[in-house]
Amino acid sequence: MDWLRNVRKLSDRAINAYQLGMTQEKGKTYVVFPFKRDGKVCMIKQRDIADKQDCKPTSANQEKCLFGWHAIDDSHRIAYITEGELDALAMFDYGYPALSVPFGGGGGAKQDWVENEYENLSRFDEIYLCLDDDKEGHAAVLEIVQRIGADRCKVVTFPHKDANECLMQGVSQTEIIAAIKNAKS
């Protein structure tokens, strides 16, 4: 948990809201991300804190869905979608509870979660796509907009690559608010 708090700069409030856990396996420490919706665990993912590429679902038969539904109030009509689970927590710390795509940036099958979440996303009037400002993030934005519709999507560009990087670099809440206000259709 020290890695989440001191390296990633996430608050205990965010860690608890998203119900993160930790586990150790073969000398490695993993963050455990529970993907829950309507009180049901749809998927669990683990990520090695020392090696971002060592990230795996715990079961091959899990439902592809967004991370973070259990931290979003049912009354919210604006959604913020990030490219990573830690970015969703960072957005929460900035005052914007967020969801995260399950398999990162890029197009194609990585964004197949949309079919499972399309109906759940229908409650939102606006969807802010807060994906990484890189090639994979841009590809994901295009794919997601095509699948859920451009009419309610806006693309956020942060001062750094993503929301967690902003938090780690000390970007203020005022700067995040400005980035969201300047989001593009």
Side-chain angles (χ1 to χ4, degrees), residues 28-43:
K28 296 180 177 185
T29 302
Y30 290 89
V31 180
V32 179
F33 300 100
F35 286 64
K36 295 180 175 183
R37 188 177 57 236
D38 300 325
K40 175 187 162 215
V41 176
C42 302
M43 183 173 134

Side-chain angles (χ1 to χ4, degrees), residues 35 43 45 47 52-53 55 57 64-67 81-87 99-114 129-132 134-144 147 161-162:
F35 286 64
M43 183 173 134
K45 191 165 117 179
R47 177 190 177 223
K52 177 178 173 170
Q53 301 307 314
C55 189
K64 295 176 183 179
C65 65
L66 291 167
F67 169 76
I81 298 178
T82 67
E83 187 172 322
E85 294 85 7
L86 298 177
D87 296 322
L99 301 164
S100 173
V101 300
F103 303 114
K110 282 188 159 191
Q111 307 312 328
D112 283 351
W113 58 266
V114 173
L129 300 175
C130 307
L131 284 81
D132 293 7
D134 60 15
K135 181 181 175 183
E136 293 295 303
H138 299 163
V141 164
L142 289 175
E143 184 82 21
I144 293 167
R147 291 186 181 200
K161 180 181 158 213
D162 58 39

Side-chain angles (χ1 to χ4, degrees), residues 2 5 10 17-18 30 58 84 98 109-111 127-128 138 151 155-156 159 170-172 176 182:
D2 285 341
R5 293 179 186 117
L10 298 165
Y18 286 85
Y30 290 89
T58 57
K110 282 188 159 191
Q111 307 312 328
I127 298 174
Y128 286 84
H138 299 163
D151 56 322
V155 180
V156 178
V171 172
S172 71
I176 298 300
N182 292 322

Side-chain angles (χ1 to χ4, degrees), residues 37 66 69 112-124 127 144 146-149 151-152:
R37 188 177 57 236
L66 291 167
W69 284 109
D112 283 351
W113 58 266
V114 173
E115 282 68 35
N116 296 332
E117 295 286 23
Y118 190 83
E119 189 64 34
N120 298 315
L121 291 171
S122 68
R123 81 175 208 215
F124 298 111
I127 298 174
I144 293 167
Q146 287 175 354
R147 291 186 181 200
I148 64 175
D151 56 322
R152 57 193 175 129

